[in-house]
Structures are given as C-alpha cells and as structure tokens.
Amino acid sequence: MLGFLKRNIRTFNSETKTNAYVAMVRSNLDYCATVLNPYQKEQVKKIEMVQRRAACYATNRYRNTSSVGSMLEKLDWESLENRRVKLQLTLLYTVVNDFVDIPCDTYLTRQCHREQDHYIPRSSGNIQPRLTATNTVFFPRTVTVWNSLPATIAEAPSLVSFKRELSTLSI
C-alpha cells in the first residue's frame, strides 16, 4: 500500500502524504491489532519498518545520512508497537467496564491490591498456559500492562477520559 502511495501521489506536501499514510497504510496496520499484536522482535521490527519508510516518504528525505528517528519525532508519530498496546488497553477497559458484550468474569479474576483493582487471567482447570501463550493471547498479555497502569488511568470515569489519560502515558 505504501508503494502504491509512492507511485501515485506525486506531491511534495508532507501533510498530504501524512494523511494518505494514516488513512491507507496505518489504518491497515492497526486493523485487528488488539488481538493480532505480534510479540516476536523480528515481527515487530518488520511492522515498524513500514512506518519508518513512510516517514522518509512523508518528509521527502531518502538519504542514508537522514535520521529516521528525527523524522518520526518531527511528524509526531508514535511507534506502532505503542499504538497496539494502547489499543489493547482500550479494549480491556471496555471489557472491564461492561461496554462490550464480553463477560469479564469468564476471562479475568479481580484482585484488590491497595488502592487499585488488579486482574489475573483465569486458567481453565489445571491446565497452565505455556510460556509462549502468555505472549500471544490477548488477556494474559494485556492484563500485565493493565496492572502496571496508574490508578487514575485504570479507573477513569469514561472511555474518553481513559483514552485522553492513556495518550499522555508513554509505554
């Protein structure tokens, strides 16, 4: 898709290229990211490389001496890995607060710790998940990050305020 944009959008306007990238490429990368979030470093790197190439495209800087990190900072683009984690946390917030029809009690056990509730994934019977399963399955993977959130974010009164507070957090 990024190659398609490079071939068909012939402007030097960075804003136009950024809008095209966000609409046509990043939206595809974010699709189903809450459940299909890769955990292997090689997979994460491949996805991040798409955004790094898009940053070169959007800023019209293709030289080997150009710093892609500074391009991403100039464009104010968050890493795709952070975006996926925040999307997962948002989905978990909707589950915990009964905004979606996924029974929280089926998948999570609530434990009270000091000022904040913590969750642990339910295991089915005596079967313990394998180590790799915790890296790939939504609930075990997301609950770990959720439990490290500050109480002010995890207990936000609305989805809008949760997303706003989450956007200020660097993960």
Side-chain angles (χ1 to χ4, degrees):
M1 188 57 68
L2 184 58
F4 174 82
L5 294 179
K6 287 179 179 180
R7 287 188 304 274
N8 292 292
I9 297 179
R10 303 248 184 237
T11 183
F12 285 100
N13 184 334
S14 181
E15 186 177 349
T16 301
K17 289 181 173 184
T18 296
N19 289 338
Y21 163 73
V22 169
M24 307 224 21
V25 179
R26 193 171 74 185
S27 62
N28 283 326
L29 295 173
D30 284 347
Y31 180 73
C32 290
T34 54
V35 291
L36 298 175
N37 187 357
Y39 69 95
Q40 293 178 337
K41 295 289 183 197
E42 300 159 8
Q43 296 170 336
V44 171
K45 187 177 178 182
K46 283 182 181 182
I47 293 174
E48 291 295 333
M49 287 304 295
V50 174
Q51 179 157 289
R52 294 174 71 81
R53 285 193 302 271
C56 293
Y57 165 69
T59 58
N60 301 305
R61 293 170 50 194
Y62 293 99
R63 295 183 181 222
N64 290 341
T65 58
S66 299
S67 168
V68 179
S70 67
M71 290 180 220
L72 291 168
E73 196 173 299
K74 178 185 173 200
L75 293 166
D76 197 26
W77 288 357
E78 183 176 25
S79 76
L80 296 173
E81 185 174 17
N82 285 349
R83 286 181 57 81
R84 288 191 301 273
V85 170
K86 288 179 180 179
L87 289 169
Q88 286 181 308
L89 290 170
T90 303
L91 178 59
L92 187 57
Y93 179 87
T94 61
V95 170
V96 167
N97 290 288
D98 294 325
F99 294 153
V100 293
D101 193 22
I102 298 174
C104 181
D105 296 340
T106 303
Y107 300 102
L108 301 172
T109 302
R110 185 180 304 230
Q111 293 182 335
C112 295
H113 291 286
R114 296 184 193 155
E115 310 88 34
Q116 182 181 355
D117 286 343
H118 284 272
Y119 293 90
I120 57 170
R122 284 191 183 271
S123 61
S124 52
N126 293 329
I127 300 171
Q128 295 296 321
R130 294 182 182 189
L131 182 60
T132 56
T134 60
N135 293 333
T136 60
V137 179
F138 172 77
F139 283 106
R141 186 176 185 179
T142 309
V143 163
T144 304
V145 180
W146 176 272
N147 289 337
S148 67
L149 287 176
T152 57
I153 296 176
E155 296 169 1
S158 69
L159 184 58
V160 172
S161 63
F162 177 80
K163 286 181 178 181
R164 183 178 43 241
E165 291 292 323
L166 196 59
S167 69
T168 63
L169 190 67
S170 68
I171 296 175

